[in-house]
Amino acid sequence: MAFASVAHAQTNINLGGIAVDTAAPIEVTSESLAIDQDTGTALFEGDVVIIQGDLRIAAQRVEVIYSADTSQIARLVATGDVTFVTAQEAAEAETADYDIAAGLLTLTGDVLLTQGASAISAQSMVVNVANGTATMQGRVRTVLQQGGN
């Protein structure tokens, strides 16, 4: 038996399997790469895949923004068929903004999150990758599977 609810407010969810080691190396693959030394950015385009620990993000386009102070990657901004996968969750959205320093991943635009047989959709989701919590907002709809179904 399925339980469905529609909420207009905000829903908080726990993503226990989503904790990411933000100090882990970040691997990026793509069809092309353009680097702009003046702005401290790199633009990956075409079947982009980003891996950091158990976190996997895929998109058509990803802009990498480097910190001016440390020259380390500060943010990743993904657009176009964005998917986000961990061992226990999967999500899709129109855009994703991963602020590595803050440990926040913001997905926007027709966000769909699946956890096993359950699904949650909203217009935006902010994930704290350090502690595995998330907040979803904007016409939140949940489908929670009960029992053995």
Side-chain angles (χ1 to χ4, degrees), residues 27-34 42-50 57 59-64:
E27 177 185 338
V28 182
T29 59
S30 68
E31 296 298 323
S32 68
L33 167 62
L43 181 61
F44 294 88
E45 291 187 292
D47 297 323
V48 183
V49 177
I50 300 166
I57 300 171
Q60 289 305 308
R61 181 180 188 273
V62 176
E63 181 179 17
V64 177

Side-chain angles (χ1 to χ4, degrees), residues 118-140:
S118 298
I120 304 172
S121 64
Q123 284 305 303
S124 69
M125 176 172 75
V126 179
V127 179
N128 182 322
V129 298
N131 66 18
T133 60
T135 302
M136 298 184 82
Q137 296 183 342
R139 195 65 180 162
V140 179

Side-chain angles (χ1 to χ4, degrees), residues 16 51 80 82:
I51 298 171
V82 178

Side-chain angles (χ1 to χ4, degrees), residues 61-65 75-79 95-98:
R61 181 180 188 273
V62 176
E63 181 179 17
V64 177
I65 302 161
R75 284 179 53 211
L76 301 169
V77 180
T79 56
T95 64
D97 186 339
Y98 182 21

